[in-house]
Amino acid sequence: MEVGTHQQYNAEQDNNKMMIRPTTIAALVALITLSSTTTSAFQTTSNTRIISTTTLFSTPPERTTDQPSKPPLSTLVKRVAVAGATGRTGKLVVQQLLSQNVPVLALVRDTDKAMSAFDPTNELLTIRKTDLGSKDDVITAIQEGEGVDCAMWCATGFSDAPDQSIWDKVSAIFGFATNSQGSIDAVGLPALGEALAKSPKRTLANGSDKSAPLPKVVMLSSAGVTRPDWTDEKKSALEGCAGIPIVRLNPFGILGVKKQSEEELRNCGTEYTIFRPGGLNDKWPKNSRPIFSQGDVAVGRINREDVATILVDLLSTPEATGKTFEGVSIANSDGYYPPAESLSVALDRLILDKDGVSEDVALATYAIMQQLLPGEKQAAAELAMGQTYEQLDKEEIGRLGARGTEEAPIVMTA
């Protein structure tokens, strides 16, 4: 099943060339927040973590122009368990891991589908039928996994697959995300963390206690998961990301499921990284420069292959550990903005989850991210479900109807 995220499912490639210098938003945000007032831009919710903006510069990381090269990923992991391995994103993750000679334990519902998706004769690949809604089955899979020391969660979410109707996508998501015991995200994901919590520390220096830890669990989540719970005041202030179709409609409360599962992972006692991509779009140029941000205010597009690349790279990036961040990409027009050689510098600038993101940082990040939207109108909140930015620019109605009257064939049954 897919993990994707928000605003449209049938997007087309944006051919506009965006001549900007993409990077993490944190550095630009720091300059903006230093000149901002201390008054809150919007009322905070009870679980909002607040930090002083001065901490952004309290302990600047040491950086040199000569970044040491990382050892091959195959020397840093014994075996990676991938949940959701036969989904469109999970399959790409598995393929990238195998291409780097990394052993993989594919946790799947349908072994026949997995056998047809991958080469079953590949000695690096083990396929196991696993009930991700069963804590015991997930833990057993990891314990029996012949040296599994880290895991990737790629289960559930939204897809922009052109050969699926909106009902097929949403009903598939609903059926895969829940069972009689509840959400598989809320059960299977923390089970992965629990199973790996007591395993040896992963580092670039082969377990040295003096080295920063690498994540043991990498979660593919979704931008927008916190937005349905924002106060009305905050939604109004950040309408460009709070008013997008997937947040406005939130079918079956799927964003809340992801938010809950994120919290479960943070509390399970293992090293983790949570990546929230923007709208997964296979037509958006791949091999593009990712833009990372925090505060759940990112809106935009990113190619699924780039998401898979980022997820795999996170396994060897200690700067990502203990952090939650969003990501969209700027099209690599004419080769001007290829991906950076390493994620380390960009992710090092981001804030640890335990420290929290301030309201001022979120508001400043939002102001910047809204300028990076595809299209000319750059009005994500005006989109209807199933409408692209390009259709909005041309004042064309999307395939599901005008905003507020979308005719998505969604029927809830008892």
Side-chain angles (χ1 to χ4, degrees), residues 97-165:
L97 289 170
L98 294 176
S99 71
Q100 296 184 45
N101 296 316
V102 175
V104 174
L105 172 64
L107 307 181
V108 302
R109 289 184 306 156
D110 188 337
T111 54
D112 290 338
K113 181 178 180 181
M115 296 286 279
S116 62
F118 307 113
D119 178 6
T121 66
N122 190 326
E123 295 182 353
L124 293 173
L125 177 64
T126 301
I127 298 172
R128 184 188 190 280
K129 184 174 183 178
T130 307
D131 179 3
L132 297 179
S134 167
K135 176 181 176 180
D136 291 341
D137 197 27
V138 171
I139 292 177
T140 299
I142 299 302
Q143 293 175 342
E144 296 177 349
E146 298 181 8
V148 171
D149 56 354
C150 55
M152 193 88 67
W153 184 267
C154 299
T156 81
F158 289 98
S159 165
D160 62 358
D163 58 344
Q164 286 184 308
S165 70

Side-chain angles (χ1 to χ4, degrees), residues 191-203:
L192 285 179
E194 180 178 333
L196 294 169
K198 295 181 180 180
S199 63
K201 178 181 177 182
R202 295 186 60 244
T203 72

Side-chain angles (χ1 to χ4, degrees), residues 17-185:
K17 298 178 181 179
M18 305 180 71
M19 308 303 293
I20 61 174
R21 182 67 180 174
T23 181
T24 53
I25 300 301
L28 295 174
V29 166
L31 297 177
I32 295 175
T33 55
L34 285 179
S35 61
S36 66
T37 65
T38 57
T39 302
S40 172
F42 37 75
Q43 181 180 352
T44 61
T45 55
S46 59
N47 60 353
T48 301
R49 302 183 182 96
I50 302 298
I51 62 169
S52 168
T53 55
T54 59
T55 62
L56 292 171
F57 295 103
S58 59
T59 54
E62 295 182 3
R63 300 189 182 95
T64 63
T65 54
D66 297 325
Q67 294 291 328
S69 59
K70 293 180 181 178
L73 182 59
S74 59
T75 67
L76 299 175
V77 298
K78 295 179 180 179
R79 185 179 298 274
V80 181
V82 180
T86 57
R88 296 180 68 196
T89 306
K91 182 165 61 175
L92 294 172
V93 167
V94 171
Q95 290 171 348
Q96 289 205 24
L97 289 170
L98 294 176
S99 71
Q100 296 184 45
N101 296 316
V102 175
V104 174
L105 172 64
L107 307 181
V108 302
R109 289 184 306 156
D110 188 337
T111 54
D112 290 338
K113 181 178 180 181
M115 296 286 279
S116 62
F118 307 113
D119 178 6
T121 66
N122 190 326
E123 295 182 353
L124 293 173
L125 177 64
T126 301
I127 298 172
R128 184 188 190 280
K129 184 174 183 178
T130 307
D131 179 3
L132 297 179
S134 167
K135 176 181 176 180
D136 291 341
D137 197 27
V138 171
I139 292 177
T140 299
I142 299 302
Q143 293 175 342
E144 296 177 349
E146 298 181 8
V148 171
D149 56 354
C150 55
M152 193 88 67
W153 184 267
C154 299
T156 81
F158 289 98
S159 165
D160 62 358
D163 58 344
Q164 286 184 308
S165 70
I166 186 67
W167 171 243
D168 289 337
K169 295 166 187 172
V170 176
S171 61
I173 292 161
F174 184 64
F176 189 46
T178 60
N179 59 19
S180 60
Q181 297 176 325
S183 163
I184 64 167
D185 294 78

Side-chain angles (χ1 to χ4, degrees), residues 212-249:
L214 293 167
K216 293 180 183 177
V217 179
V218 175
M219 177 191 181
L220 178 54
S221 185
S222 170
V225 297
T226 70
R227 299 173 203 172
D229 293 334
W230 287 357
T231 65
D232 290 341
E233 185 178 0
K234 184 171 182 178
K235 289 178 180 178
S236 177
L238 307 181
E239 183 183 11
C241 63
I244 63 174
I246 188 56
V247 176
R248 178 168 52 85
L249 299 177

